[in-house]
Amino acid sequence: MMKKNIYIAYTGGTIGMKKSPFGYIPIPGFLQKQLQNMKELNKKEIPNFVINEYIPLIDSSNMTPKGWKKIAYDIKKNYKKYDGFIILHGTDTMSYTASALSFMLENLQKPVIITGSQIPLCEIRSDGRQNLINSLFIAANYPINEVSLFFNNKLYRGNRTTKTHADGFNAFSSPNLPPLLKIGIKIKKLYNNSILKKKKKLIVHNIKHQPINIVTIYPGISKKIMKNFFLKPTKGLILCSYGTGNAPQNKEFLYEINKAHSKNIIIINLTQCISGTVNMKNYATGNSLYNSGVISGKDLTIEATLTKLHFLFTKNLSINSIKKKMQKNLRGEITNSKKC
């Protein structure tokens, strides 16, 4: 049986960093030197792979929509040559990139796995070795044809993930969807729902930076604060509310929401809770938002909501079309539900 061929895009991030007087930094060529010392990569179970080291390498804190576009079009360029793709990426914005790529890569027929590490490969206790080896093994032998994120022995749907631990190996979680696959003594597929039913040609969509704000409601939030979030050129706002989508009944607060709605600013309601979904009809404090034109983000993560808005605004759709698509399941980012 012929070995699979996997394409690795190294964008930067902790996995390939080197210690400096100023902390860990990405160094060109340093990752490849570390990989030469990994004898496991020469085992017959590991597929053939090539590495494209991006110039410049970046800390993922510096990732932008321009960076998402670079990765997506790199995959497009090499799509026919390889059986799967691995993106080595810093953890801080990994879920944003995974979410963005899920919307940009339509009709994906090959696995795209994003991974990295909390400790650099150059360190003896690095988690990067297992994350990389397992990602290669999964891409070749247990391919799931969507954008996923692998970390700490679990493969997640990329647009369902969020970073929940700053310094633990279990850095990521998927609050509202079980992992797609889990690695232990045996490899277990845990979630078999396929996003794609029919084989179609890959479509890579463009994405551009959009003026979107995020505000977390807190007790006593003022009118002035809310007003500032709606200033031009804001086109969309993600409102992180209480519980199942509740917000203050303060008249001044609701006035700013209504005023923004009248200006065609799209307001998405997300829950501040780690898991669960928005249902603005549960309580009067949520219903007032619904009546003010706020739409439900259901159980979207902040990362998926932000990148989905970037994606839809880039397509220059009508406001009503964007609102409908925000509540529609495009890439498995929402749990099917009638709640609003």
Side-chain angles (χ1 to χ4, degrees), residues 230-244:
F230 292 124
L231 294 176
K232 288 183 178 182
T234 300
K235 293 166 66 174
L237 180 128
I238 299 170
L239 188 70
C240 299
S241 60
Y242 305 128
T244 57

Side-chain angles (χ1 to χ4, degrees), residues 45-153:
E45 295 88 353
I46 298 298
N48 299 321
F49 64 89
V50 298
I51 299 178
N52 177 20
E53 184 176 283
Y54 283 15
I55 301 173
L57 295 171
I58 64 169
D59 184 298
S60 73
S61 296
N62 294 317
M63 183 57 69
T64 64
K66 187 177 180 180
W68 301 334
K69 181 179 177 180
K70 180 178 180 179
I71 297 169
Y73 280 86
D74 189 20
I75 291 172
K76 180 182 180 180
K77 179 182 176 181
N78 292 282
Y79 191 70
K80 293 182 179 180
K81 301 177 188 176
Y82 297 93
D83 301 298
F85 300 84
I86 292 174
I87 313 299
L88 297 181
H89 195 288
T91 60
D92 285 345
T93 60
M94 189 181 287
S95 288
Y96 288 97
T97 297
S99 297
L101 290 178
S102 76
F103 298 119
M104 297 175 74
L105 302 174
E106 185 177 355
N107 300 330
L108 195 59
Q109 298 286 336
K110 297 179 180 181
V112 174
I113 300 175
I114 303 179
T115 192
S117 68
Q118 293 283 67
I119 300 177
L121 275 176
C122 62
E123 301 293 347
I124 192 169
R125 294 182 54 250
S126 175
D127 54 326
R129 293 180 182 85
Q130 287 305 312
N131 285 343
L132 176 56
I133 290 168
N134 283 323
S135 293
L136 281 165
F137 190 80
I138 291 167
N141 301 289
Y142 294 84
I144 296 177
N145 298 334
E146 58 179 279
V147 178
S148 58
L149 187 156
F150 184 85
F151 226 86
N152 196 39
N153 295 319

Side-chain angles (χ1 to χ4, degrees), residues 74-334:
D74 189 20
I75 291 172
K76 180 182 180 180
K77 179 182 176 181
N78 292 282
Y79 191 70
K80 293 182 179 180
K81 301 177 188 176
Y82 297 93
D83 301 298
F85 300 84
I86 292 174
I87 313 299
L88 297 181
H89 195 288
T91 60
D92 285 345
T93 60
M94 189 181 287
S95 288
Y96 288 97
T97 297
S99 297
L101 290 178
S102 76
F103 298 119
M104 297 175 74
L105 302 174
E106 185 177 355
N107 300 330
L108 195 59
Q109 298 286 336
K110 297 179 180 181
V112 174
I113 300 175
I114 303 179
T115 192
S117 68
Q118 293 283 67
I119 300 177
L121 275 176
C122 62
E123 301 293 347
I124 192 169
R125 294 182 54 250
S126 175
D127 54 326
R129 293 180 182 85
Q130 287 305 312
N131 285 343
L132 176 56
I133 290 168
N134 283 323
S135 293
L136 281 165
F137 190 80
I138 291 167
N141 301 289
Y142 294 84
I144 296 177
N145 298 334
E146 58 179 279
V147 178
S148 58
L149 187 156
F150 184 85
F151 226 86
N152 196 39
N153 295 319
K154 292 179 181 178
L155 184 74
Y156 302 103
R157 177 165 293 162
N159 58 31
R160 290 302 194 104
T161 61
T162 188
K163 188 174 181 181
T164 51
H165 205 309
D167 53 12
F169 288 148
N170 57 332
F172 293 89
S173 61
S174 176
N176 294 307
L177 188 76
L180 305 177
L181 181 148
K182 187 175 182 179
I183 289 185
I185 294 175
K186 295 182 178 180
I187 296 177
K188 296 180 180 180
K189 281 192 175 183
L190 303 175
Y191 195 81
N192 295 317
N193 182 35
S194 176
I195 296 174
L196 189 64
K197 295 181 179 179
K198 296 181 180 180
K199 290 188 176 181
K200 296 180 180 179
K201 184 179 179 180
L202 176 71
I203 300 172
V204 178
H205 296 276
N206 190 17
I207 197 166
K208 295 179 181 178
H209 176 78
Q210 303 294 329
I212 300 165
N213 282 325
I214 303 173
V215 59
T216 299
I217 293 176
Y218 56 86
I221 189 168
S222 71
K223 172 186 175 180
K224 288 183 179 180
I225 292 292
M226 290 303 301
K227 186 176 182 179
N228 287 337
F229 276 104
F230 292 124
L231 294 176
K232 288 183 178 182
T234 300
K235 293 166 66 174
L237 180 128
I238 299 170
L239 188 70
C240 299
S241 60
Y242 305 128
T244 57
N246 305 314
Q249 294 301 284
N250 182 295
K251 290 182 179 180
E252 291 184 337
F253 172 86
L254 293 175
Y255 171 79
E256 293 301 330
I257 296 290
N258 278 289
K259 186 178 177 182
H261 177 252
S262 69
K263 294 179 180 178
N264 286 327
I265 295 175
I266 296 176
I267 306 173
I268 313 291
N269 191 357
L270 296 184
T271 176
Q272 294 178 23
C273 300
I274 294 174
S275 62
T277 190
V278 166
N279 182 1
M280 289 182 282
K281 293 183 179 179
N282 267 349
Y283 299 93
T285 47
N287 202 45
S288 60
L289 292 178
Y290 178 80
N291 291 332
S292 297
V294 176
I295 64 174
S296 172
K298 301 186 179 181
D299 64 349
L300 285 166
T301 62
I302 287 179
E303 295 90 339
T305 307
L306 181 75
T307 54
K308 191 173 181 179
L309 279 171
H310 274 292
F311 168 67
L312 294 174
F313 278 130
T314 300
K315 295 175 76 67
N316 293 318
L317 303 170
S318 69
I319 296 299
N320 286 335
S321 180
I322 292 175
K323 287 182 177 180
K324 288 178 181 178
K325 288 183 181 294
M326 280 303 301
Q327 297 178 93
K328 184 180 179 182
N329 202 356
L330 301 182
R331 307 283 192 271
E333 72 277 10
I334 297 173

Side-chain angles (χ1 to χ4, degrees), residues 18-25 27:
K18 183 178 182 180
K19 204 165 191 177
S20 79
F22 309 101
Y24 287 112
I25 57 173
I27 299 290

